[in-house]
Amino acid sequence: DAKTTQPTSMDCAEGRAANLPCNHSTISGNEYVYWYRQIHSQGPQYIIHGLKNNETNEMASLIITEDRKSSTLILPHATLRDTAVYYCIVRATLNFNKFYFGSGTKLNVKP
Amino acid sequence: SAVISQKPSRDICQRGTSLTIQCQVDSQVTMMFWYRQQPGQSLTLIATANQGSEATYESGFVIDKFPISRPNLTFSTLTVSNMSPEDSSIYLCSVEVTGWFSGQYFGPGTRLTVT
């Protein structure tokens, strides 16, 4: 699976958009980009995933660059409850469905 | 979606003993996984729990230390054997869901402290 690179931590003001970048420059054509988050040692929570098109759901938007070498997770109106570690993972659906987690980004939402 | 429960939620154990962690899911799933999260670290995949056959272990993890059972499509156990303080971690199970959503749901985790 492709390796991902994320900033160690980011700050965001409450009510503002949080934009979390992820670099996956070695991604291959059959690998999806997944985002999960982990709030204070709870089990990771699924946020969104995509292959090449931008995706949006009730939680977030995922913007994938045209060359698929990077992506950005957007939380449109961050709240204090969005403070968590955010993991960007790339996975080939044929690779026995395994997830390999990187170090993630600690997002601190501040009042 | 899938609802996953783990037992126990936390435990404190003495070195040299073993602990079995249970993972129960509310629907039949083909694939279940076990992860370890050491203090302050990210998640590390331990193994894939295969129904009806031996688990498939990742590099650095062995069956003698982390025996896994998967007796049916809704249940799995992970045993942490002959524990040492270095085994103090959160252990999480996850299940693969397919259909309109293809990805994994995670259990709440078991926080293990070895003294």
Side-chain angles (χ1 to χ4, degrees):
Chain A
D1 284 335
K3 185 172 182 178
T4 60
T5 304
Q6 299 178 252
T8 302
S9 65
M10 294 182 63
D11 291 338
C12 177
E14 188 177 20
R16 304 296 294 269
N19 296 276
L20 291 90
C22 179
N23 182 287
H24 31 79
S25 58
T26 60
I27 194 170
S28 59
N30 65 345
E31 289 183 316
Y32 285 73
V33 180
Y34 284 79
W35 284 83
Y36 280 76
R37 73 180 182 183
Q38 188 176 29
I39 298 173
H40 192 53
S41 297
Q42 298 177 19
Q45 176 190 22
Y46 167 81
I47 301 173
I48 199 167
H49 77 290
L51 182 62
K52 56 183 178 180
N53 297 323
N54 297 337
E55 303 287 345
T56 297
N57 62 21
E58 65 279 4
M59 289 184 67
S61 294
L62 173 61
I63 308 299
I64 303 174
T65 58
E66 189 169 348
D67 63 7
R68 302 186 69 240
K69 293 185 177 182
S70 66
S71 61
T72 301
L73 178 74
I74 301 172
L75 307 179
H77 305 287
T79 70
L80 298 178
R81 290 177 294 179
D82 292 322
T83 293
V85 178
Y86 287 77
Y87 295 101
C88 167
I89 308 163
V90 294
R91 183 181 85 164
T93 56
L94 298 179
N95 186 24
F96 303 102
N97 306 107
K98 297 179 184 179
F99 277 139
Y100 295 99
F101 283 75
S103 55
T105 296
K106 176 63 188 301
L107 176 67
N108 298 298
V109 181
K110 301 186 175 182
Chain B
S1 67
V3 178
I4 304 165
S5 59
Q6 288 186 230
K7 291 181 180 180
S9 58
R10 59 178 61 226
D11 207 342
I12 301 173
C13 301
Q14 292 189 340
R15 70 173 64 207
T17 63
S18 298
L19 176 72
T20 296
I21 302 167
Q22 299 179 5
C23 178
Q24 178 77 52
V25 61
D26 67 343
S27 58
Q28 293 187 340
V29 294
T30 303
M31 306 193 74
M32 297 180 75
F33 305 87
W34 286 98
Y35 293 81
R36 179 178 74 181
Q37 187 171 30
Q38 295 175 301
Q41 303 297 311
S42 182
L43 284 75
T44 302
L45 180 63
I46 297 173
T48 304
N50 302 307
Q51 196 269 329
S53 63
E54 271 196 6
T56 306
Y57 290 84
E58 297 295 307
S59 176
F61 297 95
V62 294
I63 187 171
D64 289 347
K65 177 67 177 178
F66 297 101
I68 289 171
S69 77
R70 178 86 192 274
N72 57 52
L73 294 177
T74 63
F75 186 78
S76 177
T77 66
L78 169 76
T79 299
V80 186
S81 304
N82 188 25
M83 289 183 285
S84 66
E86 292 71 36
D87 294 318
S88 297
S89 296
I90 298 172
Y91 291 87
L92 301 111
C93 69
S94 73
V95 302
E96 177 73 18
V97 176
T98 58
W100 69 269
F101 167 73
S102 180
Q104 292 184 19
Y105 287 98
F106 287 79
T110 295
R111 183 180 295 272
L112 170 63
T113 302
V114 183
T115 60

